[in-house]
Amino acid sequence: MNYSAESWGTGRAVSRIPRISGSGTGRAAQGAFGNMCRGGRMFNPTKTWRRWHRRVNLKQKRHAVASALAASAVSSLVMARGHKVDDVAEIPLVIQGIEKVERANDMLQLLGRFGCNSDLKRVEKSRTQRAGRGKARGRKYKLKRGPLIIYEEK
């Protein structure tokens, strides 16, 4: 924000932070611009030149994907992640023609018939408000992860 704010200097027994000028409003005389002030800049802002993306070898990437896919077939590892898969007949659960399902509600019913209800309920009950500024940035709710669905699309 742009404010006409200047420091009051020394001798007033207040900090030397720039203060909003004017009167007749609650915002007048409040601090501005500093990292400890309302509406001020953040301390040590994230730099654009940070190394956001790291190069990873192609074989290493492929190995990671293969390892993750293999781990999803071990029920003890899936349960250790917090998934409720006690009622599921086998892990991984293979269902033919799952890509023909059009509506989300039909998909939930189909997964429920195969014993995924408890995991779906866990996801449904887990919706909580996020802490911090993420709420104001379009990430208001957090959800637990549900079943991983992999399907073939030609």
Side-chain angles (χ1 to χ4, degrees):
M1 290 293 279
N2 294 327
Y3 302 112
S4 57
E6 284 184 43
S7 172
W8 288 354
T10 58
R12 293 225 202 173
V14 290
S15 66
R16 290 180 289 188
I17 196 81
R19 294 174 182 280
I20 308 282
S21 58
S23 62
T25 173
R27 192 73 175 110
Q30 287 184 358
F33 304 137
N35 62 317
M36 72 292 281
C37 298
R38 171 175 159 238
R41 61 168 168 75
M42 69 185 279
F43 165 74
N44 192 20
T46 312
K47 303 295 191 286
T48 54
W49 55 84
R50 179 188 285 186
R51 262 182 78 192
W52 295 101
H53 305 289
R54 306 282 164 129
R55 190 185 165 278
V56 181
N57 295 336
L58 186 63
K59 272 188 182 178
Q60 218 168 344
K61 283 188 220 173
R62 287 177 178 159
H63 187 268
V65 170
S67 300
L69 202 57
S72 71
V74 182
S75 59
S76 59
L77 289 175
V78 172
M79 288 168 89
R81 266 203 103 258
H83 292 285
K84 306 276 188 252
V85 291
D86 301 325
D87 303 331
V88 181
E90 59 178 349
I91 300 277
L93 179 65
V94 180
I95 305 169
Q96 291 293 323
I98 200 166
E99 55 271 350
K100 292 183 182 77
V101 179
E102 303 239 338
R103 298 177 64 235
N105 213 17
D106 297 341
M107 179 63 82
L108 290 174
Q109 287 177 355
L110 177 73
L111 289 171
R113 280 201 296 267
F114 286 100
C116 297
N117 258 343
S118 52
D119 202 35
L120 295 171
K121 287 276 185 265
R122 178 185 75 99
V123 173
E124 203 176 315
K125 284 197 288 188
S126 71
R127 183 172 137 156
T128 53
Q129 265 200 12
R130 183 183 302 274
R133 296 298 304 170
K135 288 190 295 291
R137 293 173 183 160
R139 302 183 297 269
K140 190 171 184 181
Y141 297 107
K142 292 192 334 186
L143 277 177
K144 289 195 185 313
R145 289 269 175 235
L148 172 67
I149 300 171
I150 302 171
Y151 63 95
E152 179 187 0
E153 192 177 59
K154 291 179 179 148

